[in-house]
Each structure stands twice: as C-alpha cells, then as structure tokens.
Amino acid sequence: VAATDAEVFALFSRVLAGLPLRAATGDIGILMAAVQGLDISTRRNAALARHIWRPKRFRSLLDRFSGRTPVPASRAALIATYNSGADVMSEAGPAIGLRNEAEIMERVEALVADAQEPPLSKAQVGLLDEIINLHCKAPAALERLRDVAVDLPVISMAVERMDARLSALAAKRINVDDLDFEGSYGRTTMEYYDGFVFGFYAEGRPDLPPVATGGRYDALTRALGGDAAVPAVGGVIRPALTVELGL
C-alpha cells in the first residue's frame, strides 16, 4: 500500500514538475478510524461516519452528541410527548409525506433512544478535533498523530501506514520535510476516497481549482455494489490548467 501510494504521488510530481504548484496531502483513513473508535452507540457512529465528507453536518452531529448544543426544541417536545405516554400520531396533526405510521414511529423511537445516550466525552472530542484541525508539515503531523494514538489506539494502524508512506515517498526522492499534511484534506470533494489523498494547487492562484487530485479508494467497488473492496490508487490532472500555468 505505501509503495503504490508513493509511486502514484511521485508520478504526478514528475509530470507536474516545473509548474508553480503546492502539494497538499491527507489521510481520510485516519479520520475514519478515529470515528470508528469513539465511545458511542452504533447508530451515532454510523451517522458520523456517513457525514465525514460533509464537515458542517459532521460538526453539528458531533456538537449534539457531545452535549455542546442542546436538542432542538421541536425534537425535545416530541420526545416529551412520547415519554408521557400520549399518542404521538394524534398529537402530530394530519399526516403528510410518504412515510407510513410504522415508519414514523420507528423514527420517533430512534430519537427517544438517542436522547437517552450519555454524551461523548470532552476528551474524545478533543482528540478528534486534534486530527481534524491538523495542518502542518508531514513529519510534524506524524509525530502529533502518534501522540493522539496513545489516547486513541484505534488509529495506530493508520498512523503506521502514514509512517510507511512517508518513508516510501522519501525513497522516491520526494522532499517529505516540505510536504504539507492536512487532517481534513479531501473531506469536501473526495467522498469515495478512504486513505491517502493528495492535491496540487497553483501558488498564488486561489481562484483556480486544484490542478491535480488523487489518492486511495479501496472501498469504491464495494460502495458501487461489489462483493469486496479492490485495492486502488490513482488520480486526475486537469490539462487545461497545466496549459494555463505554462506546462
């Protein structure tokens, strides 16, 4: 895995050499592992995992699960009605939409069960925020992630993969000491990626999209209905941007 990640990144670096580009890297696998290791219910875990690529929704859920934000008033009222023993459906008014009564009650019961869960600890939220907000050179990021792994061991394997990847990149003559690492890189535009991610950006041109992006997407075949994940790593280069920038 580390060798193929490094091979693809090095290939992109060679093709784009000579352009005024900045490379950014990340690892969605580390964040995914961290979410899986949180001390929360399966239902809450699945909700956070589903919204990793939607940072605003992810933050909203994390704040609610940790008690940072209160339960919405309408939801609190619904839960109170259910807990009082009143008929939720009769209190709700006329039925609209496509859900039948059984589906509505299943959702209500899920909300009630969720409200009874203890909040996610501040310590675990802090560890997750440490990963999400990480933005520094790759070697420093690796050391900080190793520190996080002491308190969140579930990310240890992903962190070791990052270590192996940096060694493989260095063997490909990539200057890893000057390589940027962002804990949240790829979360808004690279939804089917599940490991190493990277992009190349034009220095001084924030108006332009990335000239190239790529990474590892082992789980794509399964997400599309396949029986198993197929190891895969690759990316795209936008030719028009390379022409504009003078390749």
Side-chain angles (χ1 to χ4, degrees):
V1 171
T4 51
D5 285 351
E7 181 180 357
V8 170
F9 183 87
L11 175 60
F12 274 63
S13 295
R14 290 196 300 271
V15 170
L16 298 170
L19 291 177
L21 302 178
R22 175 186 71 87
T25 65
D27 193 331
I28 290 178
I30 293 175
L31 182 56
M32 292 174 71
V35 169
Q36 291 170 2
L38 295 176
D39 187 20
I40 52 178
S41 68
T42 300
R43 185 187 295 273
R44 285 187 167 186
N45 189 286
L48 284 173
R50 186 167 60 252
H51 291 290
I52 281 177
W53 294 272
R54 301 170 184 84
K56 289 184 179 180
R57 178 58 176 160
F58 183 92
R59 173 55 59 183
S60 176
L61 288 172
L62 189 62
D63 287 346
R64 181 160 62 83
F65 294 164
S66 62
R68 287 179 175 176
T69 57
V71 176
S74 58
R75 181 176 299 183
L78 176 63
I79 292 170
T81 299
Y82 180 92
N83 289 334
S84 72
D87 185 346
V88 172
M89 295 304 299
S90 64
E91 294 285 337
I96 58 175
L98 300 177
R99 289 185 179 180
N100 60 38
E101 183 173 333
E103 291 171 329
I104 293 172
M105 289 307 301
E106 181 180 359
R107 174 60 176 161
V108 171
E109 289 165 1
L111 293 176
V112 172
D114 183 76
Q116 294 172 346
E117 289 197 36
L120 181 62
S121 73
K122 291 181 179 179
Q124 288 204 319
V125 173
L127 293 172
L128 199 58
D129 282 340
E130 176 79 4
I131 296 171
I132 290 171
N133 296 325
L134 193 56
H135 192 165
C136 56
K137 298 303 179 183
L142 177 62
E143 292 307 310
R144 289 173 65 179
L145 287 167
R146 281 178 171 154
D147 290 340
V148 172
V150 172
D151 296 310
L152 196 61
V154 71
I155 72 169
S156 295
M157 289 185 62
V159 174
E160 290 309 310
R161 285 195 295 270
M162 177 180 172
D163 187 11
R165 183 188 312 122
L166 291 180
S167 296
L169 286 167
K172 293 285 186 180
R173 301 181 182 275
I174 300 297
N175 182 8
V176 296
D177 290 335
D178 197 41
L179 190 60
D180 289 336
F181 183 92
E182 302 172 19
S184 284
Y185 186 76
R187 289 183 64 202
T188 59
T189 58
M190 307 174 79
E191 185 164 345
Y192 61 87
Y193 289 82
D194 56 359
F196 175 54
V197 285
F198 64 84
F200 289 83
Y201 296 83
E203 293 279 14
R205 292 294 305 271
D207 57 307
L208 295 179
V211 174
T213 54
R216 179 162 292 277
Y217 44 92
D218 293 354
L220 179 60
T221 51
R222 181 178 291 163
L224 294 176
D227 294 331
V230 176
V233 58
V236 297
I237 295 175
R238 294 174 173 83
L241 292 181
T242 65
V243 171
E244 182 175 346
L245 293 170
L247 184 63

